[in-house]
Amino acid sequence: DVLQGHQREMTQTLHTRCQEPSQIIFQFKANPPAVTFELTGETDNIFMIEREGLLYCTRALDRETRSTHNLQVAALDANGIIVEGPVPITIEVKDINDNRPMFLQSKYEGSVRQNSRPGNSIGTLTAHDRDEENTANSFLNYRIVEQTPKLPMDGLFLIQTYAGMLQLAKQSLKKQDTPQYNLTIEVSDKDFKTLCFVQINVIDINDQIPIFEKSDYGNLTLAEDTNVGSTILTIQATDADEPFTGSSKILYHIKKGDSEGRLGVDTDPHTNTGYVIIKKPLDFETAAVSNIVFKAENPEPLVFGVTYNASSFAKFTLIVTDVNEAPQFSQHVFQAKVSEDVAIGTKVGNVTAKDPEGLDISYSLRGDTRGWLKIDHVTGEIFSVAPLDREAGSPYRVQVVATEVGGSSLSSVSEFHLILMDVNDNPPRLAKDYTGLFFCHPLSAPGSLIFEATDDDQHLFRGPHFTFSLGSGSLQNDWEVSKINGTHARLSTRHTDFEEREYVVLIRINDGGRPPLEGIVSLPGIILAVVFIRIKKDKGKDNVESAQASEVKPLRS
């Protein structure tokens, strides 16, 4: 073959294994003036061409690294100029079985439920071979080499030869017999073999029901005041399933005889012992005798076809004896709401209590510090016996005592809270005492002072809205009052021609309530005084003294 011919064919495909160094693959020829050849492309420093046109490889090829090499061959003259080509050359590396099949991991773990039927899948093992796919070099076979232990027999498992699916083969397994099996699995191609190890755990299923050690725990007599939290009975059931699993753990439930939920059962997780405890107070009056029925169950569902039967049930009879108990109020706190101006003798609320033994009850009050209330000893109705005052205390809290009549005279206590609704019954007044307020005489300009008003009634969130005026018409020539906001006003002089003396000014304050109330307050401490400033010499220093003409008095209501 000459290079010229190959150039016309465009591409030459060569197949080779090239397993030995310097193995000749092909020889190219060219016509003069070509004297040598040049090789380019995906040589990977493996392919070389000699001057005479011999194409060879320098080392063994690896199909798994590169399965195809695309090269170009050109013929050169003595000056290194291409005279023919380049011609494309494709070299396809033929596969040989030089790769061992490999599992994804050296050890696997699977599980099978006891009593599973033969043929159930445990899992699928997968191995890979890097040789060319769908050839004899990568065709894999699986088989079980060894099973340990061989109990109750060998060959309990099988693996599908080509798919690698591991299955239960001959019979169902029992965890009680053998909880774990170890298999050695082989995968092979035509030349190589690889082993892996599989651990198969036999999983217990809930095919055994709990069984009580006895079905009747007899009679149990308790006083009704037995402490809540007390353990009153111990019960025991057993389960043949695997210990410390959901299949063998036992939960005890009360199925009959305790509709009020007074009892409960705690289970010891290590022994499955049940401890019956009192969760709510026992009551002779409502349940003197109770026939209690327990059921022992597993948190794990039973397998199909297995059901609980009479062996999982037990009973006992609880007999509660009477104890004299104190009366019981229907509420811990009773609450009522009335206006603070209700008439004396008005019913303001009532309380109710009941004696568990059915005895009569006498009611009384405790803590009525203001003497506002009285209670009917028989009915529990509460009445006012004095004027109420929200500003003095609301809510007004007292204690109500219920005492049984006869018997042991036991008693119990509840709270009564009386909420007093406000009425407008407090006239406005000055908010505080004002001290140190005076005008200097003579006035050089009209003067003013600011004062604040308040009252003790309940106000909305926006506060009171007082109106202000002079308390006497005779004051209008000298004084005026102006509102600043709902609580503050300004008192001002109308002129500057005042004598030096104390003036009493009356102010009328109206709250605009329902009914409206007003108060007249006096400001007697407004003093017009002369302030003297004396300057005298004392050892070379100026000494300034001030003196007031008269004492400054506070504003008063």
Side-chain angles (χ1 to χ4, degrees):
D1 295 330
V2 295
L3 192 61
Q4 222 168 12
H6 292 302
Q7 191 170 11
R8 286 194 297 270
E9 295 173 9
M10 297 303 295
T11 302
Q12 178 70 31
T13 301
L14 304 177
H15 300 273
T16 183
R17 287 191 175 92
C18 196
Q19 294 178 271
E20 299 178 0
S22 301
Q23 179 178 333
I24 295 174
I25 300 171
F26 198 79
Q27 183 172 9
F28 295 93
K29 294 181 181 180
N31 298 321
V35 296
T36 187
F37 295 90
E38 180 183 54
L39 182 66
T40 57
E42 297 171 345
T43 64
D44 293 346
N45 293 324
I46 297 175
F47 297 100
M48 305 289 288
I49 192 167
E50 291 186 346
R51 186 180 184 88
E52 295 81 7
L54 292 174
L55 178 64
Y56 65 97
C57 57
T58 60
R59 63 178 186 271
L61 298 175
D62 184 7
R63 189 199 68 83
E64 287 72 39
T65 302
R66 188 193 292 273
S67 60
T68 301
H69 295 262
N70 295 303
L71 309 175
Q72 296 85 36
V73 177
L76 310 178
D77 63 14
N79 296 319
I81 298 174
I82 297 175
V83 295
E84 292 185 31
V87 175
I89 304 294
T90 299
I91 297 179
E92 294 182 355
V93 182
K94 297 180 69 175
D95 185 45
I96 62 172
N97 191 23
D98 60 345
N99 287 282
R100 180 183 300 275
M102 298 296 295
F103 286 101
L104 295 180
Q105 55 196 72
S106 60
K107 185 174 181 179
Y108 293 85
E109 186 171 344
S111 60
V112 59
R113 296 175 69 91
Q114 71 172 7
N115 290 341
S116 295
R117 296 180 179 179
N120 280 9
S121 173
I122 299 171
T124 299
L125 303 180
T126 302
H128 293 280
D129 192 309
R130 294 183 61 202
D131 291 316
E132 188 174 359
E133 293 182 4
N134 302 319
T135 67
N137 294 336
S138 60
F139 189 73
L140 305 181
N141 293 275
Y142 298 88
R143 74 183 185 94
I144 297 175
V145 177
E146 185 179 15
Q147 167 196 310
T148 57
K150 296 177 175 57
L151 297 174
M153 65 180 68
D154 198 8
L156 292 173
F157 305 92
L158 66 83
I159 189 167
Q160 294 184 7
T161 304
Y162 306 120
M165 179 185 289
L166 189 60
Q167 296 173 283
L168 189 62
K170 293 184 177 180
Q171 66 177 52
S172 299
L173 305 178
K174 288 286 187 181
K175 181 163 186 174
Q176 293 89 335
D177 298 334
T178 305
Q180 186 181 93
Y181 291 90
N182 292 286
L183 304 180
T184 302
I185 308 294
E186 175 190 278
V187 63
S188 62
D189 60 18
K190 65 179 185 177
D191 296 312
F192 300 101
K193 299 177 182 179
T194 302
L195 300 179
C196 80
F197 303 96
V198 179
Q199 177 181 301
I200 298 177
N201 299 309
V202 181
I203 299 176
D204 183 38
I205 59 174
N206 193 14
D207 58 352
Q208 302 292 321
I209 64 172
I211 298 175
F212 272 101
E213 63 177 6
K214 56 182 178 180
S215 60
D216 192 341
Y217 284 86
N219 297 338
L220 180 62
T221 301
L222 296 174
E224 64 177 333
D225 62 352
T226 303
N227 291 335
V228 172
S230 300
T231 299
I232 61 173
L233 182 66
T234 300
I235 58 179
Q236 183 70 61
T238 58
D239 192 302
D241 287 310
E242 181 184 357
F244 307 112
T245 66
S247 298
S248 63
K249 181 180 179 180
I250 297 177
L251 300 177
Y252 299 96
H253 301 285
I254 298 175
K255 293 298 184 181
K256 293 182 181 179
D258 186 29
S259 59
E260 297 295 326
R262 300 183 189 277
L263 304 180
V265 186
D266 291 338
T267 303
D268 187 317
H270 300 290
T271 64
N272 275 336
T273 300
Y275 299 97
V276 183
I277 61 173
I278 298 177
K279 293 172 57 179
K280 297 180 180 179
L282 304 178
D283 188 6
F284 169 82
E285 286 71 27
T286 59
V289 179
S290 301
N291 296 307
I292 308 296
V293 177
F294 301 107
K295 182 181 180 182
E297 299 176 281
N298 301 129
E300 188 78 17
L302 295 173
V303 298
F304 179 77
V306 178
T307 58
Y308 295 103
N309 57 36
S311 299
S312 298
F313 290 85
K315 66 180 181 177
F316 87 103
T317 300
L318 177 61
I319 302 171
V320 179
T321 59
D322 188 29
V323 174
N324 188 24
E325 299 170 277
Q328 297 175 355
F329 280 98
S330 59
Q331 300 173 211
H332 294 296
V333 177
F334 294 85
Q335 185 171 288
K337 182 185 294 186
V338 297
S339 177
E340 65 174 327
D341 62 348
V342 297
I344 294 175
T346 300
K347 178 183 173 181
V348 297
N350 69 283
V351 298
T352 56
K354 181 180 180 181
D355 184 72
E357 287 73 41
L359 298 176
D360 291 335
I361 293 175
S362 175
Y363 297 98
S364 60
L365 294 180
R366 180 189 297 170
D368 182 17
T369 56
R370 297 187 181 275
W372 286 353
L373 306 174
K374 73 173 182 180
I375 190 168
D376 188 300
H377 299 295
V378 177
T379 65
E381 295 176 310
I382 300 174
F383 300 87
S384 65
V385 295
L388 307 179
D389 185 4
R390 185 200 68 84
E391 289 72 31
S394 178
Y396 184 56
R397 297 179 174 90
V398 297
Q399 290 183 326
V400 184
V401 182
T403 304
E404 64 181 16
V405 179
S408 302
S409 298
L410 296 178
S411 63
S412 57
V413 179
S414 183
E415 294 282 331
F416 178 73
H417 294 174
L418 182 60
I419 299 173
L420 301 176
M421 296 182 292
D422 187 45
V423 296
N424 192 30
D425 59 350
N426 290 277
R429 58 180 175 81
L430 290 175
K432 59 182 179 180
D433 290 337
Y434 293 88
T435 58
L437 299 176
F438 63 91
F439 298 117
C440 294
H441 185 275
L443 292 176
S444 59
S448 65
L449 58 85
I450 295 173
F451 61 92
E452 179 185 1
T454 187
D455 67 19
D456 296 316
D457 290 314
Q458 186 176 23
H459 298 285
L460 300 177
F461 65 92
R462 59 182 181 177
H465 285 270
F466 298 126
T467 57
F468 303 88
S469 61
L470 292 173
S472 171
S474 62
L475 300 172
Q476 294 181 359
N477 294 331
D478 299 326
W479 306 90
E480 66 177 345
V481 62
S482 56
K483 180 177 179 178
I484 298 175
N485 55 34
T487 56
H488 291 73
R490 183 189 309 274
L491 178 66
S492 306
T493 60
R494 285 186 173 274
H495 54 80
T496 60
D497 188 18
F498 283 88
E499 297 179 4
E500 180 185 358
R501 65 179 178 85
E502 179 178 341
Y503 292 83
V504 177
V505 180
L506 301 179
I507 305 295
R508 187 186 308 275
I509 307 175
N510 189 296
D511 63 8
R514 295 182 182 180
L517 294 179
E518 66 179 27
I520 298 179
V521 299
S522 63
L523 305 178
I526 304 175
I527 302 169
L528 273 74
V530 177
V531 178
F532 298 97
I533 301 178
R534 296 194 299 239
I535 303 177
K536 63 180 182 179
K537 294 292 184 178
D538 184 11
K539 298 182 180 180
K541 297 182 181 180
D542 291 343
N543 186 11
V544 179
E545 295 180 351
S546 63
Q548 276 185 205
S550 59
E551 179 185 3
V552 176
K553 298 182 180 178
L555 298 178
R556 298 187 302 275
S557 59

